[in-house]
Amino acid sequence: KLCELKTLDIASKASALAFDNSGKYLAYASPERIQVTIVKEWTVLCDLKADGNTRALDFGIDATFLAVASSKGQLDLFAASK
């Protein structure tokens, strides 16, 4: 039997979401933003502005970057600054 672990209030419908391979991070997109959350603490690691066209997103190897694809054929790559 499944039970609810956490409900995220993102204020609008989610268009895409993905966990990294370790399950440590969750990224999700809404029309207004893309957020990356640390799952264990449920805190937002980063909040990126979105253009409302995000259709897919996925983490790269070891969650070193986030790839975001739009319905307009654009692919954006985001990485933490060093």
Side-chain angles (χ1 to χ4, degrees), residues 8 62 70:
L8 299 174
D62 297 329
S70 77

Side-chain angles (χ1 to χ4, degrees), residues 17-80:
L17 63 90
F19 285 94
D20 75 311
N21 287 338
S22 71
K24 182 177 179 181
Y25 302 108
L26 169 66
Y28 51 92
S30 70
E32 297 82 27
R33 63 170 45 90
I34 298 165
Q35 290 187 320
V36 177
T37 301
I38 301 171
V39 173
K40 188 173 182 179
E41 303 158 9
W42 295 109
T43 56
V44 175
L45 183 63
C46 70
D47 191 355
L48 306 165
K49 187 172 179 163
D51 64 2
N53 296 304
T54 302
R55 293 296 173 253
L57 47 81
D58 204 359
F59 286 94
I61 297 171
D62 297 329
T64 54
F65 66 91
L66 181 68
V68 179
S70 77
S71 61
K72 295 181 178 181
Q74 184 172 332
L75 177 64
D76 293 314
L77 301 174
F78 297 95

